[in-house]
Structure formats: structure tokens, C-alpha cells
């Protein structure tokens, strides 16, 4: 990615974002959050062929966790006395994320003009390294068709994003503790890439193989129900991710299908132990490319022929959210 640094000011765009459900009112000038995430991945071997479901084939494939610290500065803005604008705010947010294989920091500007809409702009920088058997920062060798290590401090992962979110709570229209049907729709466009590599390089970042520099999208549709109990929320998250241009994979695109859209469907549950402590549990069923030829390793896929979509059970995720 030769020109990525030169584009830093050009690609710093207006971005739109949202928390899982952001109906919680911000009442302090400064807000601090600490989020601890953990995910367990069982093993599910690849199965060749057209659209199908791949069963679990092993108890364990990967376990990962991360800790994210967030600081937000709240700046109220005045759009008049109308009830729709009485809680209009601007948030300046800084976060730092640490995992066993990466460190990532993000700076965001969040605009909340009305209760059901959020806007955000920002950028992130990350460093990756390899820990034990967990591969975080590798480059795909086009000759050997294998991944090889990259230098941590010469290869910074940069991201610029733009996102829009609409959210709605039926309880805001029909008051009552048992009428909180929640709906969220968001759409994020972002450019992510590694410095010090060519734009057509295939690499691994945060244990995900088959990435390349380019514009991507990430969209979520969330439908949930909120209860006035410790068992606080439940519902489903549907996520769509992919690259805008399949040409990002250049010579591999014809067979690999670089424009493939990954779809995930995840039931979730939230337990609120007290006002400032929430535990979220997510069960994720995801999809990946299926190929005509049988294979065992991710590193083989760029040389295979795309055949369809393979569904599988991806992970069990836990997230502890502590606010201060």
C-alpha cells in the first residue's frame, strides 16, 4: 500500500456509528467504559460443493479475548426547544483495544442530532504480532502459496470509516416496561489497509486470513426485546460484510470471488447485573466461501474455485461492559 499515508487527510471522512443499543441517556460531561470480550471457536472443517451447512468436527479451534477502554467527552448542542432535539449531543471518543496479538487505537467524532439517528467520523491505527500458534500479521506468498511473517512496526493497520445508523424503540411511542421492541439498522463503509505492502498483497490481520487493502462495508440489522428484569435483552443480529470491488483481489478474483458477502446470524442475550454492569452472550452462525475442490487450510483458498456459500457455527462470544 504505497500511497496510503498520502491519503490520510483525503480519506478522513464523515462516519456514522452506534452502540449495540444507544437509547441510554448520557448525563455526564465525561463518560468512561471498559469492555472485556472473549470468544470461543469450535472446529468446523471445510466441505466442498454448492450452498450447504458444514457440521462441527472438533471441540476446539481458537479462543481469543480483548480489552477495550473508551473515554467520551459529551458536548450538548442546542437546536431549539422542540422535544426531538432536547438531547442533541456531540461526542468525542477515544478508545484503546488490546488483545494477545494486536493493539489498536481509534479516534471518533460522534454526532447525535435526534434520538433515532447517529453520525460518526474517525480513524484507527493498529499494530499486530504473532503469539504462540495464533497468527496475527502474515503476508501471502504468491509463489509458495503460504503465509509468511511480517514485521510488526513496519506494517501498521490503518482504517478510515463512514457509517449511518437508524434506531427505534417501540417503548418511546407506547410507554410501558414491557413494550420495548428495539430495532437498529446501520451501514458502515471503511477503508482498511496495511502500510509497507503492495495494494494487491493478501495478508492476515487479527487472525483473519485472506484480507487485502481496499474499501469494505459492514451492515447490521438488529431486532431485540428489552425486559424490566436482570435478563435484560434478547434478539437477533444479522451482519453483512464484504469488499465493494471484487477487483481488490486482482488476479485471484476470477476463481476466488473477491466480492463475496459474508453473512452472519447471531441470537444474543444481555444480563444487567446492575446499572453499570452488563454481560452479553452471542451465538454466531456465519457463512464463508465454499469451493469445488476439497481443502483443509485457509491458505489454499486463493488457488481454488468458488462454488457457493458454506454455513457453519462460528463462535460463542461473551462481552462484559462496565461503565464508570
Amino acid at each position: 500500500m504505497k500511497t496510503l499515508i498520502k491519503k490520510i487527510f483525503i480519506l478522513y471522512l464523515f462516519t456514522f456509528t452506534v452502540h449495540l443499543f444507544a437509547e441510554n441517556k448520557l448525563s455526564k460531561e465525561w463518560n468512561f467504559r471498559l469492555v472485556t470480550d472473549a470468544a470461543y471457536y469450535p472446529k468446523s472443517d471445510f466441505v466442498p460443493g454448492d450452498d450447504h451447512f458444514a457440521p462441527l468436527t472438533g471441540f476446539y479451534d481458537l479462543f481469543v479475548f480483548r480489552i477495550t477502554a473508551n473515554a467520551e467527552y459529551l458536548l450538548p448542542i442546542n437546536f431549539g426547544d422542540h422535544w426531538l432535539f432536547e438531547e442533541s449531543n456531540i461526542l468525542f471518543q477515544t478508545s484503546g483495544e488490546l488483545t494477545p496479538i494486536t493493539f489498536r487505537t481509534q479516534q471518533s467524532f460522534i454526532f447525535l442530532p435526534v434520538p433515532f439517528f447517529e453520525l460518526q467520523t474517525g480513524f484507527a491505527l493498529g499494530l499486530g504480532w504473532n503469539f504462540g500458534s495464533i497468527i496475527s500479521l502474515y503476508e501471502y506468498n504468491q509463489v509458495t502459496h503460504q503465509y509468511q511473517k511480517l514485521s510488526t512496526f513496519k506494517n501498521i493497520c490503518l482504517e478510515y470509516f463512514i457509517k449511518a445508523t437508524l434506531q427505534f424503540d417501540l417503548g418511546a411511542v407506547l410507554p410501558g416496561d414491557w413494550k420495548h421492541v428495539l430495532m437498529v439498522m446501520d451501514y458502515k463503509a471503511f477503508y482498511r489497509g496495511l502500510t509497507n505492502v503492495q495494494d494487491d498483497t493478501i495478508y492476515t490481520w487479527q487472525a483473519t486470513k485472506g484480507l487485502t487493502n481496499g474499501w469494505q462495508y459492514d451492515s447490521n440489522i438488529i431486532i431485540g426485546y428489552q425486559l424490566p428484569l436482570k435478563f435484560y435483552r434478547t434478539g437477533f443480529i444479522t451482519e453483512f460484510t464484504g469488499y465493494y470491488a471484487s477487483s481488490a483481489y486482482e488476479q485471484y478474483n476470477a476463481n476466488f470471488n473477491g466480492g463475496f458477502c459474508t453473512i452472519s446470524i447471531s441470537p444474543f442475550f444481555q444480563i444487567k447485573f446492575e446499572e453499570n454492569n452488563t454481560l452479553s452472550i452471542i451465538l454466531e452462525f456465519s457463512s464463508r466461501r465454499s469451493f469445488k475442490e476439497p481443502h483443509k487450510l485457509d491458505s489454499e483458498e486463493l488457488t481454488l474455485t468458488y462454488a457457493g456459500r458454506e454455513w457453519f457455527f462460528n463462535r460463542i462470544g461473551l462481552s462484559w461492559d462496565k461503565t464508570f
Side-chain angles (χ1 to χ4, degrees):
M1 185 177 43
K2 297 179 179 179
T3 60
L4 185 56
I5 296 294
K6 298 178 182 178
K7 298 177 182 177
I8 186 168
F9 295 109
I10 298 174
L11 296 177
Y12 187 76
L13 301 175
F14 277 89
T15 302
F16 309 54
T17 194
V18 68
H19 308 304
L20 180 59
F21 291 107
E23 93 291 345
N24 298 324
K25 296 180 181 179
L26 298 171
S27 57
K28 299 185 298 182
E29 185 179 35
W30 282 98
N31 296 274
F32 300 94
R33 299 171 63 223
L34 185 65
V35 181
T36 304
D37 299 309
Y40 157 73
Y41 296 78
K43 187 172 180 58
S44 179
D45 288 336
F46 304 108
V47 178
D50 298 334
D51 296 354
H52 60 272
F53 184 85
L56 296 180
T57 54
F59 178 74
Y60 173 81
D61 187 40
L62 184 65
F63 177 81
V64 296
F65 68 90
R66 68 181 176 186
I67 298 175
T68 306
N70 296 277
E72 297 176 343
Y73 177 76
L74 175 67
L75 179 64
I77 53 178
N78 186 2
F79 283 149
D81 297 329
H82 195 280
W83 64 267
L84 192 61
F85 304 111
E86 63 183 9
E87 293 179 15
S88 300
N89 299 302
I90 295 175
L91 283 176
F92 300 93
Q93 184 185 80
T94 298
S95 65
E97 171 192 295
L98 179 65
T99 79
I101 54 175
T102 57
F103 172 75
R104 183 174 179 269
T105 182
Q106 180 169 302
Q107 309 296 319
S108 302
F109 168 85
I110 305 171
F111 177 44
L112 303 93
V114 290
F116 54 84
F117 191 41
E118 288 193 5
L119 314 176
Q120 175 179 332
T121 184
F123 66 92
L125 301 89
L127 293 174
W129 54 88
N130 303 296
F131 179 77
S133 61
I134 304 177
I135 296 174
S136 174
L137 193 62
Y138 268 48
E139 176 185 2
Y140 183 75
N141 188 308
Q142 300 181 13
V143 178
T144 64
H145 303 301
Q146 298 295 324
Y147 283 88
Q148 57 191 31
K149 292 182 181 179
L150 286 171
S151 173
T152 294
F153 295 103
K154 290 182 179 180
N155 297 275
I156 300 173
C157 185
L158 300 182
E159 181 179 313
Y160 313 88
F161 52 89
I162 179 168
K163 186 176 180 180
T165 300
L166 288 171
Q167 52 192 355
F168 176 72
D169 179 1
L170 186 62
V173 180
L174 302 174
D177 290 340
W178 298 91
K179 297 178 181 179
H180 289 280
V181 177
L182 310 170
M183 289 164 281
V184 176
M185 296 180 63
D186 67 41
Y187 189 89
K188 175 183 178 182
F190 62 100
Y191 184 95
R192 182 173 60 197
L194 286 183
T195 59
N196 204 41
V197 300
Q198 299 292 329
D199 280 336
D200 61 349
T201 298
I202 309 297
Y203 57 84
T204 298
W205 167 251
Q206 288 188 325
T208 301
K209 294 184 176 69
L211 300 176
T212 188
N213 296 340
W215 280 97
Q216 303 176 49
Y217 61 87
D218 185 349
S219 179
N220 293 272
I221 300 173
I222 307 173
I223 299 177
Y225 181 67
Q226 180 173 303
L227 302 86
L229 306 170
K230 286 189 179 296
F231 184 83
Y232 186 49
R233 291 180 180 134
T234 185
F236 288 89
I237 304 172
T238 303
E239 182 179 15
F240 306 86
T241 61
Y243 284 83
Y244 283 105
S246 58
S247 58
Y249 284 89
E250 297 195 0
Q251 70 266 34
Y252 302 107
N253 179 56
N255 291 332
F256 181 67
N257 184 15
F260 180 80
C261 175
T262 298
I263 304 173
S264 299
I265 301 174
S266 308
F268 73 89
F269 315 90
Q270 287 185 302
I271 302 171
K272 196 166 191 175
F273 294 97
E274 54 187 59
E275 185 63 29
N276 296 329
N277 287 281
T278 303
L279 175 66
S280 301
I281 304 169
I282 297 177
L283 307 177
E284 182 181 288
F285 295 85
S286 190
S287 63
R288 60 195 177 198
R289 293 174 179 84
S290 177
F291 299 92
K292 294 181 179 180
E293 306 87 350
H295 71 293
K296 293 184 178 180
L297 301 176
D298 296 359
S299 58
E300 303 175 57
E301 293 186 349
L302 289 169
T303 61
L304 304 179
T305 306
Y306 172 81
R309 184 179 301 274
E310 179 173 272
W311 290 93
F312 67 105
F313 179 73
N314 189 29
R315 63 174 178 164
I316 300 174
L318 300 175
S319 180
W320 183 278
D321 192 326
K322 170 71 174 179
T323 59
F324 300 91

